[in-house]
Amino acid sequence: MPFPLLFIAIVSLFQFSIAGVAPEITTVQEGYNIIAKLPCLGCPFLVQDTSRGENESWTVRTDDNALLLNITLPYDSSYIELNGQRVWPAYSKLQKIYANQVVQDISDENLQAIISTGQLESSHETYSGGGYFGLSYSQSLRHIRNASAFIFQLDIIEIWSDLPPTPILHKLENPNQKMLELLLLQKPVMSALEPISSEIIKAELVSRGHHGKAQNKDQQVMHFLEWDSFGQKGTLTHYLSSWGSAMLNFLDSGIWALLAVIFGILLLFVLVCVICIFGCDFWQDDYSQAQHGKARGQRRRVRGDVEQGKVGFKSAEELGLLGRGRVVGLGKSD
Ligand SMILES: *[C@@H]1O[C@H](CO)[C@@H](O)[C@H](O)[C@H]1NC(C)=O
Ligand SMILES: *[C@@H]1O[C@H](CO)[C@@H](O)[C@H](O)[C@H]1NC(C)=O
Ligand SMILES: *[C@@H]1O[C@H](CO)[C@@H](O)[C@H](O)[C@H]1NC(C)=O
C-alpha cells in the first residue's frame, strides 16, 4: 500500500473511533465531574415528531436507550450532586431529580455537544428536544477498607414521565440492569480550617449487588411520585412545611392578609390571657373545695371511729386522739 493511502486509512480509522459510540462514563473534569450514560434496559423511548410543529404530542417507541447522569463533586465541600441536585448527604429531604434520555448508541460527538452546552439537567425545563424522566432511586454511601475511601452507589429503580398524554411509569426490573458506582477518596486535610472534601477516584457501571447489598442504615430510597417540593407526602415535615408555605403565600397576597394574621395573633393572645386568668381561678376554687371536702371527710371518719371506740375496740392512745378529734368535730358542727 502506498504511503499516502495508508495515512488516509489511519486517519479515517482515527476519525471513526472519534465518532464512535459514547462511552458509559465520560470524564468532564478529572476527580470532580463525570457524565454517566446509564443504559435503561427495556425502558420506553420517548420521541416527539417536531416536523409538523413544536406542539406535537410525545409518543413511545421501542429503542435501546440510556439516561444521562451528571455527577459533580464541588471542590470545597463534601456533597455529591446528580443532575444539578444534591443527592448526598441528603438529610431528611431527598431531591426530585430528572434525567434526560438519549438513544443508547449516541455518538461521542453528540454527547460532547450536549456536555459543552451544559444543558444536561436544565433541558427538562427549557425544552431542548429530548425526552426526560423523573427518577426513583436508591442510594448508599459506605466506607470501605480504610476510613478515607467511600463507595457511593446509585441505582435507578423507576422512571416516570408526564410528557405523553397519559403519564408513563416504568420499573427498571431487568436482571441485567446496572447501577452507577463511584469510589470516592477523602482528601487529606492540611489545616483545621479547611473543609473536608473528596474526589472521584473511579466511576463505573456495575451490576446490582456489586460490593454486596448496602445495609438499610446506609441506604436512602426516593420514590419520585411520593415526594414533592415539601418533602415526602404524608409525613409531619411535609405537613408543616406545606402549611408554612401556604401561610407565607397568604401573607404575600396583600396588606389585608397581613392585617388579618396580626389580628388573629392578637386575638389568640387575648384568648390565652383570659383562659389563664379565669382558668387559674377555677383551679384555685377546685383546690379549696377539695381541701374543704377532705377536712369534712376526716371529721366524718373520726366520728365513726369514736362510736367504735365506745364499744371498746380501740387502744387508749387511739381513743385519746379520737377523743380530741371528737371534741373538735363537735365544737365545729354544733
Ligand atoms: C400547544 O399545546 C398547548 C396544550 O396542549 C396549548 O395550550 C397551546 O395553545 C398549543 N400551542 C400551539 C401553538 O398549538
Ligand atoms: C453538571 O452539573 C454541574 C453542577 O450542577 C453543572 O455546572 C454542569 O453544567 C452540568 N453539566 C452538564 C453537561 O450539564
Ligand atoms: C485507602 O484506600 C485507598 C483506596 O482504596 C488506597 O489508595 C489507600 O492506599 C488506602 N490507604 C491505606 C492507609 O490503606
Side-chain angles (χ1 to χ4, degrees):
M1 207 189 284
F3 179 72
L5 263 187
L6 184 71
F7 180 74
I8 288 168
I10 288 173
V11 165
S12 58
L13 200 71
F14 184 60
Q15 272 178 343
F16 177 76
S17 70
I18 279 188
V21 173
E24 287 180 340
I25 304 288
T26 304
T27 303
V28 180
Q29 199 175 13
E30 198 72 54
Y32 301 101
N33 186 198
I34 60 135
I35 306 287
K37 186 190 78 173
L38 178 76
C40 196
L41 304 183
C43 295
F45 185 62
L46 296 182
V47 281
Q48 187 186 33
D49 180 13
T50 48
S51 60
R52 278 179 295 157
E54 288 282 291
N55 225 10
E56 286 303 308
S57 63
W58 291 80
T59 50
V60 175
R61 196 173 82 194
T62 323
D63 211 333
D64 286 345
N65 60 80
L67 298 169
L68 294 182
L69 308 176
N70 174 17
I71 302 277
T72 49
L73 208 63
Y75 292 113
D76 54 347
S77 40
S78 243
Y79 62 85
I80 303 169
E81 258 187 26
L82 166 61
N83 288 2
Q85 302 289 336
R86 181 190 287 214
V87 280
W88 198 280
Y91 309 113
S92 60
K93 197 177 161 195
L94 298 176
Q95 301 294 329
K96 293 192 94 165
I97 297 173
Y98 294 87
N100 276 359
Q101 186 180 42
V102 292
V103 284
Q104 198 175 313
D105 53 6
I106 182 175
S107 72
D108 206 9
E109 225 176 357
N110 285 351
L111 185 63
Q112 289 299 337
I114 293 177
I115 291 172
S116 64
T117 55
Q119 53 180 206
L120 212 61
E121 61 270 349
S122 60
S123 53
H124 83 266
E125 284 155 5
T126 57
Y127 170 63
S128 67
Y132 58 83
F133 287 92
L135 307 178
S136 295
Y137 54 91
S138 139
Q139 59 179 9
S140 68
L141 184 82
R142 36 195 166 135
H143 288 264
I144 52 153
R145 276 180 255 134
N146 56 40
S148 55
F150 300 91
I151 281 189
F152 176 73
Q153 290 181 330
L154 180 87
D155 190 10
I156 310 295
I157 50 182
E158 195 176 73
I159 56 174
W160 178 86
S161 179
D162 59 356
L163 286 176
T166 46
I168 47 172
L169 186 69
H170 179 80
K171 282 188 166 37
L172 277 68
E173 282 172 333
N174 191 306
N176 297 323
Q177 179 62 48
K178 289 188 172 175
M179 63 177 179
L180 177 68
E181 185 177 274
L182 302 179
L183 182 63
L184 305 169
L185 194 65
Q186 205 164 28
K187 285 189 285 190
V189 182
M190 299 302 174
S191 79
L193 295 175
E194 219 177 285
I196 296 168
S197 58
S198 323
E199 55 185 316
I200 303 169
I201 298 300
K202 196 163 112 190
E204 58 180 338
L205 299 184
V206 297
S207 59
R208 287 170 168 168
H210 192 242
H211 274 114
K213 203 166 155 40
Q215 286 178 327
N216 280 345
K217 70 172 170 60
D218 299 324
Q219 199 158 31
Q220 284 178 315
V221 180
M222 148 66 130
H223 286 284
F224 189 80
L225 294 177
E226 281 175 18
W227 291 68
D228 62 16
S229 54
F230 302 123
Q232 191 169 18
K233 293 174 194 168
T235 60
L236 183 66
T237 339
H238 181 267
Y239 175 75
L240 289 180
S241 59
S242 59
W243 187 82
S245 109
M247 193 70 181
L248 284 181
N249 284 344
F250 180 61
L251 285 182
D252 256 4
S253 66
I255 188 76
W256 289 111
L258 192 67
L259 285 180
V261 168
I262 291 176
F263 186 70
I265 291 172
L266 281 178
L267 205 68
L268 199 69
F269 179 72
V270 169
L271 211 68
V272 167
C273 286
V274 166
I275 287 175
C276 253
I277 294 164
F278 286 92
C280 287
D281 240 32
F282 280 137
W283 185 77
Q284 264 177 356
D285 263 19
D286 272 3
Y287 181 73
S288 53
Q289 263 172 12
Q291 290 302 317
H292 203 68
K294 228 193 279 172
R296 242 187 282 147
Q298 251 167 10
R299 244 176 273 135
R300 215 177 295 129
R301 214 183 314 126
V302 163
R303 227 174 281 150
D305 284 352
V306 169
E307 274 153 348
Q308 281 180 345
K310 268 187 198 154
V311 203
F313 284 109
K314 294 282 165 185
S315 70
E317 291 94 333
E318 274 172 332
L319 280 176
L321 274 171
L322 294 169
R324 242 181 289 143
R326 188 185 172 215
V327 171
V328 173
L330 282 176
K332 263 212 172 163
S333 52
D334 288 352

